[in-house]
Amino acid sequence: MSFDLLESAKSIFNNNVVSQASSQLGESEGGIQKAISGIIPVVLAGLLNKAGSPGSAGGLLDLVKGVAGDANPSAITGALQGGTGGLLSKGADLLRSLFGDKVGSITGMLSSFAGIKESSANTLLQSATPATLGTVGQYAAQNNLSPNSFLSLLDSQKDKILGAIPGGLNIAGILGLANIGDLGKKIGSLLHMDTATTTAGAVNIKPDAKPGSSRWLWSLLLILIAIILLWYLMRGCGANKHDGIPVTDSVTTSQLADSATMTVTEGGPVVSRESIKVTLPDGVVLDAYKGGIEDQLVVFLKDNSRAAGKDVWFDFDNLNFKTGSAELTEESMKQVGNIAAIMKAFPKAKIKIGGYTDRTGDSTLNLRLSKERAESVVTALKKSNTNAAQLLGAEGYGSQFAKAAADAPEEERKKDRHISVSVREK
């Protein structure tokens, strides 16, 4: 009998697991079963999506092998009872590896689909992910799969996995894909490329060829292969970076990104920025970038000919959040501190913080996370000794002002994702 990945994963979530989850989470067994019916194919779809990224197979193979021991019912029930809290943490890490900062959107989607609390959906998702991926890991370990044969396994299972995703779960939209079928095409394309490269390497050189002729043929072959690989890597760099972990947003931050550096990365090679010193009226000197938020904000505040107002916005350009959360990274505090210093130097200035997203994912979840992240910046400014009277609060606008469609190219959508400062008085 051939291996069936989906059914093997489902077999772990037996009646005892469902009953324990229902009891511990205070949900109906029907709601738990419905959630699990969505979680298993969604997690496997995330694996398919990641495996379709060039160069990811080896790392993913090690990842699933590492959780092979968690593919059993007792591990899940133990986590639900609080006896193995480490599994929930492990599940959270695995989810971030597969989905980056889209985990919150997926959790909310599962909660709505199954009719259970979002906290319950989150616990179920975290506890079920190691077991689901561990099923793949067990098979891979038992059959000594190589990265390429691992891809072949996933390719052979993809149709059933994708077909099992309930209609009410728009995983394609959350991943920024036009349709769910695009997930399967990515692995097929990689396998096709591998086959093409192998075939290209199988050059038949006649035994009686002269040594010089043989050398130049091999040199030509190596050059051709290098060109093909370079083209393929450049093509991958131009792809939707939401397929990777984690992703860097343009402009500032969003519901779908963990770091935002507008002119630093632009989704490709690092772009050089000109470092400058910004001198404030009180003599404080800030390290900043030409054209960055500090530079623009100080110039505006010094310019008496330009009025403040609700339409005056400046985008953060070096603000980062931890994956799928509203928690600022330690590195972000430098720019937060710079803004706090600017506010101190311009005591009459009053600002409001706004959060914006693109149209990808659930609009309600986008709105909530954009507000949470804007509020997080306000809190950080207060902790940096900004006068509370100068902070007029935070507002999350979600995708309300997004210009690009949800299925637009990444280069267009990332312009809609940012955290901004509105100068209301100066």
Side-chain angles (χ1 to χ4, degrees):
M1 181 180 295
S2 60
F3 177 66
D4 189 320
L5 174 55
L6 187 67
E7 292 303 319
S8 296
K10 286 181 179 179
S11 67
I12 298 173
F13 300 88
N14 55 31
N15 291 336
N16 183 47
V17 171
V18 172
S19 177
Q20 285 284 349
S22 173
S23 175
Q24 293 295 324
L25 300 176
E27 306 284 357
S28 68
E29 291 193 5
I32 296 296
Q33 288 176 328
K34 190 172 184 180
I36 291 173
S37 73
I39 287 173
I40 296 173
V42 162
V43 169
L44 293 176
L47 182 62
L48 291 175
N49 186 51
K50 281 298 298 175
S53 300
S56 296
L60 286 175
L61 180 58
D62 291 338
L63 183 147
V64 297
K65 285 183 178 179
V67 290
D70 296 316
N72 62 81
S74 60
I76 302 172
T77 55
L80 291 170
Q81 293 171 352
T84 43
L87 187 68
L88 295 179
S89 177
K90 185 186 297 183
D93 290 340
L94 291 170
L95 287 165
R96 283 192 291 270
S97 295
L98 295 182
F99 299 107
D101 54 359
K102 305 174 186 69
V103 178
S105 297
I106 291 172
T107 302
M109 180 179 65
L110 287 166
S111 171
S112 299
F113 166 72
I116 62 176
K117 298 187 295 289
E118 193 163 325
S119 59
S120 298
N122 184 54
T123 299
L124 273 179
L125 184 59
Q126 289 180 354
S127 59
T129 296
T132 301
L133 296 178
T135 304
V136 191
Q138 285 183 351
Y139 182 85
Q142 292 167 2
N143 293 273
N144 195 29
L145 297 186
S146 66
N148 194 59
S149 56
F150 171 61
L151 285 178
S152 296
L153 168 68
L154 295 180
D155 188 56
S156 70
Q157 304 285 320
K158 66 184 180 185
D159 290 337
K160 185 165 185 179
I161 292 171
L162 299 180
I165 298 176
L169 299 180
N170 183 23
I171 187 66
I174 288 180
L175 293 175
L177 302 172
N179 58 71
I180 199 67
D182 289 346
L183 276 172
K185 294 177 183 177
K186 296 172 66 177
I187 292 181
S189 297
L190 276 183
L191 289 171
H192 177 72
M193 179 60 69
D194 288 341
T195 302
T197 303
T198 302
T199 303
V203 177
N204 181 25
I205 300 177
K206 294 181 180 180
D208 58 352
K210 295 180 180 180
S213 173
S214 173
R215 281 196 295 271
W216 79 260
L217 282 174
W218 279 108
S219 298
L220 178 61
L221 173 62
L222 291 173
I223 292 172
L224 288 174
I225 292 176
I227 291 173
I228 291 172
L229 290 174
L230 180 61
W231 170 83
Y232 191 73
L233 289 171
M234 291 178 68
R235 181 168 174 259
C237 287
N240 185 348
K241 292 302 171 63
H242 283 249
D243 293 339
I245 46 172
V247 61
T248 302
D249 273 345
S250 66
V251 189
T252 329
T253 47
S254 89
Q255 84 289 7
L256 297 178
D258 307 309
S259 79
T261 314
M262 179 175 65
T263 54
V264 176
T265 62
E266 289 297 339
V270 173
V271 178
S272 176
R273 304 180 73 189
E274 181 181 346
S275 296
I276 62 172
K277 299 290 186 181
V278 176
T279 303
L280 304 180
D282 58 3
V284 173
V285 178
L286 306 178
D287 291 321
Y289 292 104
K290 185 175 182 179
I293 188 173
E294 296 95 336
D295 186 16
Q296 294 185 54
L297 191 54
V298 171
V299 169
F300 173 77
L301 290 171
K302 287 181 176 180
D303 188 350
N304 294 325
S305 67
R306 299 171 63 188
K310 64 179 182 179
D311 295 326
V312 180
W313 291 90
F314 299 91
D315 297 330
F316 278 94
D317 54 6
N318 195 19
L319 197 66
N320 310 291
F321 290 98
K322 293 186 178 179
T323 305
S325 76
E327 184 179 354
L328 286 161
T329 63
E330 185 176 346
E331 293 78 10
S332 300
M333 297 312 297
K334 178 178 180 180
Q335 186 153 83
V336 171
N338 283 351
I339 301 302
I342 293 172
M343 297 305 293
K344 182 179 180 181
F346 293 89
K348 293 182 179 180
K350 293 184 179 180
I351 62 173
K352 183 175 183 179
I353 305 298
Y356 302 81
T357 74
D358 64 17
R359 297 183 186 276
T360 304
D362 183 89
S363 60
T364 302
L365 293 175
N366 291 347
L367 183 65
R368 184 180 68 191
L369 187 53
S370 67
K371 181 174 176 60
E372 289 176 349
R373 288 187 163 180
E375 290 174 340
S376 180
V377 174
V378 170
T379 299
L381 286 169
K382 290 179 179 178
K383 290 182 178 179
S384 297
N385 298 319
T386 301
N387 185 349
Q390 292 181 273
L391 301 173
L392 302 180
E395 187 69 39
Y397 301 103
S399 59
Q400 180 180 350
F401 298 100
K403 296 179 180 179
D407 57 354
E410 166 66 8
E411 286 299 313
E412 295 179 27
R413 287 188 288 110
K414 66 183 181 181
K415 296 176 183 178
D416 292 326
R417 307 192 298 260
H418 50 95
I419 294 288
S420 305
V421 173
S422 174
V423 181
R424 300 301 174 90
E425 296 181 26
K426 69 175 189 177

